[in-house]
Amino acid sequence: MLKLTKVSKIYEGKVAYRALTDINLEIDKGEFVAIMGPSGSGKTTLLNIISTIDAPTTGEVEMEGKNPHKLKKNDLAKFRRNELGFIFQDFNLLHTLTVEENIVLPLTLDGARVKEMKEKANKLANSLGISGIMNKRTYEISGGQAQRVAIARAMIHEPKLLLADEPTGNLDSKASKDVMEMLVTINQQEKTSLLMVTHDPQAASYSDRVVFIRDGKLHSEIHRGDSRQAFFQKIIDMLSLMGGDGNDFSSIRV
Ligand SMILES: Nc1ncnc2c1ncn2[C@@H]1O[C@H](COP(=O)(O)OP(=O)(O)OP(=O)(O)O)[C@@H](O)[C@H]1O
Ligand SMILES: [Mg+2]
């Protein structure tokens, strides 16, 4: 459903910086792919190009056979809202709104009916275990709850592709585990394709496949197989093989 062909990115500036070189990557419908690599290796840049927040310098992005970077401004905004869901490390919730208002925000932008919005929000909240906090403000809830609210908001449009940048970066290991299990459930039940950037090998071990990038290039990839525990160990081994600055993986929880 997603295909990147020889995608490169050069940030122009006083000194031009080559952040990505010739990235080829394909993601199937319903696949869950994690992207790992040292700090500064180009992970967020890659996600921004896929989400059309940023354009590649050269190369092609195709989603379901179409290149979103060629859409006109209005169509692009619609494409982003309808086809993609985003989850960020810092949740990106609006603090003046309640949990429920945050969740239905994307539908509000589309002018959906209130009844329909509430129904959808309640269904999601039930499956994510946040029904009890719908009327709270976002500063009255925990980090793990906030991340689940962010997931609900990303899912309310039933996106084909869910993009997540460090979704467990601000969570403790229990909350991380909960969030990862929810993402896997969504991935399996809704057949939503999932692309997640993470530093956390534990989180990555929930995916079907981990793609490692280093210095803006594809380094290697490993597939999950039957055992998540064995996959976790393979991920750890690959990270140490890739080496780099010890600080790069300071967020590893074993
Ligand atoms: N807007 C920008 N202008 C210039 N250089 C940039 C810009 N954004 C990122 N870079 C550079 O591109 C490289 C890749 O950055 P990117 O944010 O993609 O890394 P990352 O893999 O997400 O790192 P982290 O794990 O720390 O989030 C870095 O060297 C960064 O300094
Ligand atoms: Mg990043």
Side-chain angles (χ1 to χ4, degrees), residues 102-132:
N102 266 283
I103 294 174
V104 300
L105 187 65
L107 296 180
T108 318
L109 297 174
D110 267 358
R113 296 200 338 271
V114 173
K115 184 162 171 281
E116 181 204 344
M117 290 198 285
K118 283 202 177 263
E119 276 170 13
K120 276 193 169 176
N122 284 332
K123 192 166 157 258
L124 274 169
N126 265 329
S127 65
L128 290 165
I130 49 173
S131 307

Side-chain angles (χ1 to χ4, degrees), residues 135-188:
N135 295 318
K136 288 199 171 189
R137 305 272 158 184
T138 53
Y139 50 79
E140 298 169 325
I141 63 178
S142 74
Q145 289 170 333
Q147 195 56 296
R148 281 180 276 169
V149 175
I151 293 172
R153 187 183 54 186
M155 290 305 298
I156 198 140
H157 256 120
E158 296 156 20
K160 299 200 178 82
L161 176 64
L162 194 56
L163 300 166
D165 200 351
E166 299 277 2
T168 60
N170 278 321
L171 303 179
D172 66 25
S173 44
K174 167 74 172 71
S176 293
K177 189 167 172 282
D178 290 348
V179 163
M180 289 317 302
E181 281 170 1
M182 273 157 201
L183 287 176
V184 168
T185 305
I186 285 168
N187 168 244
Q188 289 173 351

Side-chain angles (χ1 to χ4, degrees), residues 59 87 154 163 215:
I87 304 170
L163 300 166
D215 301 330

Side-chain angles (χ1 to χ4, degrees), residues 3-8 22-25 58-62:
K3 185 175 179 189
L4 273 63
T5 313
K6 293 190 83 173
V7 165
S8 296
D22 291 343
I23 301 284
N24 295 313
L25 180 66
T58 55
E60 293 266 323
V61 178
E62 249 180 55

Side-chain angles (χ1 to χ4, degrees), residues 11-13 15 17-20 37-46 48 54 165-166 197 199 213 248:
Y11 287 112
E12 304 292 349
V15 184
Y17 185 84
R18 176 176 271 280
L20 292 175
S39 183
S41 56
K43 304 180 297 295
T44 297
T45 302
L46 186 64
N48 286 346
D54 206 350
D165 200 351
E166 299 277 2
V197 166
H199 279 110
I213 64 173
D248 291 350

